[in-house]
Amino acid sequence: MSSRPEVPLDELYREVVMDHYRRPRGRQPLSKVDVAAKGFNPLCGDEVEVALELSGETIAQAQVVSRGCAICTASASIMAEILPGKSVTQAETDAEEFRQVMHGKPFPQDRELGDLEALEGVKHFPVRVKCALLPWMTLKDAIAAFRRGERHAQTTTE
Amino acid sequence: MKATAVPTVIRPMRLAERFPILQRTVRGRRLVYLDNAATTQKPQEVLDALHHFYTHTNANVHRGVHTLAEEATAAYEHCRERVAHFLNAPDPRGVVILRNTTEAINLVAQSWGRKLQAGDEVIVSEMEHHSNLVPWIMLAKERGVALKHIPITQDGELDLVSYRKLLSRRTRVVAVTGMSNVLGTIVPVAEVAEEAHKVGAVVVVDGAQLVPHEPVDVRTLGCDFLAFSAHKMYGPTGVGFLVGKPELLEAMEPIFGGGEMIREVHLDRATWNDIPHKFEAGTPNIADAAAFPAALNFIEELTVEAIRAHERDLTAYAWEKLQSLGGLTLHGPADPQRRGALISFVDEHIHPHDLATVLDTYGVAVRAGHHCAQPLMRKLGVVATARASFAAYNSREDVDALIFGLLAARKYFGLA
Ligand SMILES: Cc1ncc(COP(=O)(O)O)c(C=O)c1O
């Protein structure tokens, strides 16, 4: 096989990302679900389901199941890993900051964002940004539903 | 009648030289453009025609006595005549110049649709592009019309037995694609139309994929309305056509009012211009329409028959290569004689989106997604597919580049 393409595909599919893609975390069903949301990207058909178990305002457990591309799957897996123990407000801030990173802002320092930084390279592939954001937008909707006192939400990105 | 010319043999590498964009590189590689079903590239002649219009002819049409106005009008009307000639339409008045296929189908749905009442039925197929589905869904909602669906068979063909059972006195419109943009299936339009006409329904054909790839003669195609887009056949974006039987167009009300489409206007009433002008309200896309005949010349120089033969050969070649890779599901009819110039496929392990991204780094442009056919995707049980679609300038080398990219993607994802 000839040389690697000039553009660093590895920026998009970093080792950590590929690892989350191959072995996604946080798929185990929860014993108790306080709020759940379903996200859908009609453009590519990707689907994400987020379920949260809450203890007061704190996320005790998260289940994130995705059916989609490597980027969406990895993003969902990373999210599932870092959510437990965060307050819903903190989780919303994380989602918003990650969205801004995807739109060019530098990655926030001194924050507990686990492997999320590995997805920073997605911003160089604009058409794939939505793939990375779908789990996070779904999470935001789940939290918004929780605040409204509801148990379910449906998200569509496009 | 078309003269019987010596059969042309297409030399894609030579042809590609006439397309400036095909000379560029993408991410350091030769561009291998396999997204022709979305839109084709444009040859130099078409670019020149566009440039020529703006540098020599530009003026508004149908409303001026000066030289430029006259020339611009002639260029615009020439487009209509060329389209009529290309499709062997008996009368250029049956050619309405619009923006695209979608607009053409909406025009029929909205205008012919006014003749429909609650309880009437419209039949579409399960393999329609959203642009030949959503306008009918809108009509159904507005007028209480029932929408029926022709199912597709296991190999992605229309189930004509079920179709016949759907037809009844209540059927007012049958709207089908001429060629599926996902499965590649070529639909037996003449047969569909004959059955529909027996119950008095009008037949609308979405020709967006059919017209660029198959010889079409509207007199034998059998439909009442044919919609297609210039941009999928080497022409500019922003121009599409509705080719209808003049007597049916006469019987239709315009859906847009304004300049050009009127004969006489009073403060409180107006009368309509003749067809086709009554459907062309406002300043049309003059420059792009004026440039489109250059694309038709390009096609006719090669002949549609030769383009089809070349594309069938390529599609068969690609089908075999993809098939022999293993681990791929190829959608649509396997017989290259029954399909158009595209192949939709899904890799067992790599999501189409990831595949398209990796292919792009090899300069290979394919489409990944639902191809504006969500109901069909549901039927196929997939969320998305990758699609390679061909045009006259594609070569076996392009297919080889696709295969090379696919293997590289598998390697990259640790699957090979
Ligand atoms: C079968 C089919 N119908 C309709 C369309 C819509 O064409 P346009 O976007 O030019 O209106 C397309 C292409 O996108 C198509 O492939």
Side-chain angles (χ1 to χ4, degrees):
Chain A
M1 213 136 284
S2 80
S3 65
R4 272 249 168 278
E6 281 182 11
V7 168
L9 203 52
D10 299 347
E11 263 300 291
L12 181 65
Y13 300 113
R14 289 187 195 161
E15 219 22 79
V16 177
V17 172
M18 293 305 270
D19 185 58
H20 278 277
Y21 170 51
R22 295 203 186 98
R23 298 184 300 111
R25 289 37 142 196
R27 299 200 153 212
Q28 310 74 6
L30 305 181
S31 47
K32 168 173 163 282
V33 175
D34 292 295
V35 67
K38 205 170 172 173
F40 181 58
N41 179 351
L43 203 66
C44 56
D46 285 1
E47 272 177 27
V48 174
E49 287 175 71
V50 175
L52 303 176
E53 180 191 333
L54 298 161
S55 145
E57 295 263 316
T58 303
I59 299 171
Q61 301 281 356
Q63 182 201 19
V64 189
V65 179
S66 59
R67 268 175 299 277
C69 64
I71 300 305
C72 176
T73 303
S75 182
S77 168
I78 294 169
M79 188 175 90
E81 237 179 21
I82 62 180
L83 284 181
K86 292 195 184 236
S87 71
V88 289
T89 311
Q90 192 55 56
E92 280 178 317
T93 310
D94 291 351
E96 178 52 26
E97 289 194 339
F98 182 52
R99 193 183 68 78
Q100 292 184 9
V101 168
M102 288 295 101
H103 292 105
K105 271 219 177 164
F107 201 84
Q109 297 305 313
D110 316 323
R111 301 285 308 281
E112 288 174 16
L113 294 172
D115 289 336
L116 198 58
E117 194 166 0
L119 283 168
E120 194 178 355
V122 177
K123 70 179 180 200
H124 301 299
F125 295 78
V127 294
R128 306 302 301 277
V129 163
K130 273 186 193 128
C131 313
L133 287 180
L134 183 61
W136 294 90
M137 296 304 112
T138 311
L139 170 70
K140 268 184 145 180
D141 282 9
I143 295 172
F146 163 71
R147 291 196 196 287
R148 288 195 306 268
E150 292 163 12
R151 295 179 52 103
H152 293 284
Q154 190 107 23
T155 319
T156 300
T157 65
E158 206 171 355
Chain B
M1 288 296 345
K2 281 171 195 161
T4 18
V6 189
T8 324
V9 174
I10 289 186
R11 291 193 194 81
M13 294 299 206
R14 277 275 185 75
L15 266 191
E17 286 168 15
R18 288 162 69 176
F19 291 73
I21 203 170
L22 296 178
Q23 314 313 314
R24 72 162 277 186
T25 55
V26 167
R27 299 181 180 246
R29 305 267 177 150
R30 173 176 82 89
L31 166 63
V32 175
Y33 187 76
L34 298 178
D35 193 16
N36 293 287
T39 197
T40 58
Q41 300 303 345
K42 327 301 175 197
Q44 186 65 51
E45 301 90 291
V46 171
L47 306 179
D48 288 345
L50 265 174
H51 187 75
H52 181 83
F53 181 84
Y54 281 122
T55 46
H56 288 83
T57 322
N58 184 47
N60 213 323
V61 290
H62 301 304
R63 48 172 98 158
V65 291
H66 56 78
T67 303
L68 294 191
E70 206 174 281
E71 288 180 11
T73 304
Y76 181 70
E77 290 302 320
H78 177 62
C79 171
R80 200 186 308 281
E81 282 153 25
R82 282 295 281 112
V83 167
H85 175 80
F86 183 73
L87 298 170
N88 199 27
D91 186 351
R93 291 185 315 133
V95 178
V96 186
I97 304 180
L98 300 161
R99 276 190 306 145
N100 49 39
T101 305
T102 305
E103 191 178 34
I105 295 169
N106 274 277
L107 171 57
V108 181
Q110 287 298 309
S111 177
W112 192 265
R114 288 185 196 179
K115 300 177 188 299
L116 273 55
Q117 295 164 1
D120 285 345
E121 293 177 1
V122 171
I123 297 178
V124 296
S125 87
E126 276 182 350
M127 62 167 126
E128 297 310 314
H129 187 282
H130 293 164
S131 71
N132 195 28
L133 179 59
V134 180
W136 305 109
I137 292 175
M138 289 164 68
L139 179 71
K141 206 166 147 189
E142 270 163 38
R143 304 197 70 88
V145 166
L147 201 54
K148 305 268 161 159
H149 305 93
I150 312 171
I152 56 171
T153 63
Q154 207 60 41
D155 9 310
E157 311 243 8
L158 279 196
D159 177 349
L160 292 174
V161 177
S162 303
Y163 167 57
R164 282 187 199 101
K165 289 186 194 141
L166 288 176
L167 287 166
S168 76
R169 285 273 144 217
R170 322 207 83 168
T171 311
R172 301 290 307 278
V173 178
V174 175
V176 290
T177 186
M179 175 185 145
S180 163
N181 63 312
V182 176
L183 302 172
T185 317
I186 294 167
V187 169
V189 171
E191 219 175 313
V192 169
E194 196 185 326
E195 300 283 338
H197 287 148
K198 282 186 199 157
V199 300
V202 298
V203 178
V204 183
V205 170
D206 170 356
Q209 298 298 340
L210 182 73
V211 177
H213 301 284
E214 295 283 311
V216 172
D217 177 332
V218 287
R219 298 189 211 211
T220 53
L221 188 65
C223 66
D224 300 291
F225 298 100
L226 174 68
F228 65 101
S229 300
H231 72 90
K232 293 187 198 280
M233 44 197 297
Y234 314 105
T237 53
V239 190
F241 305 90
L242 179 67
V243 180
K245 290 189 176 148
E247 62 276 18
L248 298 184
L249 292 171
E250 304 261 18
M252 280 161 61
E253 286 287 307
I255 59 167
F256 288 114
E260 312 276 8
M261 54 76 67
I262 42 77
R263 167 159 303 132
E264 204 182 306
V265 180
H266 301 270
L267 280 178
D268 57 353
R269 71 201 136 88
T271 52
W272 314 145
N273 201 336
D274 292 330
I275 62 161
H277 307 291
K278 75 173 176 187
F279 299 112
E280 297 176 8
T283 300
N285 187 348
I286 309 166
D288 292 302
F292 184 49
L296 293 178
N297 292 344
F298 172 81
I299 293 172
E300 284 181 346
E301 173 201 322
L302 302 171
T303 78
V304 190
E305 288 78 4
I307 293 175
R308 175 174 65 174
H310 170 68
E311 290 174 344
R312 280 204 175 149
D313 175 69
L314 259 192
T315 309
Y317 178 72
W319 186 278
E320 208 183 295
K321 286 249 163 176
L322 289 167
Q323 194 76 279
S324 66
L325 280 184
L328 293 176
T329 306
L330 311 190
H331 292 283
D335 178 359
Q337 299 307 315
R338 303 182 73 87
R339 59 158 42 248
L342 61 87
I343 300 177
S344 280
F345 57 95
V346 179
D347 187 285
E348 227 175 282
H349 298 290
I350 311 176
H351 189 281
H353 235 155
D354 293 316
L355 192 56
T357 295
V358 179
L359 286 172
D360 184 57
T361 63
Y362 285 87
V364 180
V366 299
R367 181 84 179 265
H370 59 55
H371 315 292
C372 301
Q374 287 177 6
L376 176 58
M377 300 313 255
R378 248 168 250 133
K379 173 96 183 191
L380 298 175
V382 296
V383 288
T385 73
R387 179 187 71 189
S389 54
F390 308 110
Y393 43 68
N394 288 123
S395 60
R396 288 186 171 212
E397 283 75 7
D398 293 345
V399 174
D400 294 342
L402 168 70
I403 301 294
F404 180 84
L406 258 161
L407 290 171
R410 286 182 172 180
K411 200 167 178 191
Y412 191 81
F413 280 83
L415 302 165

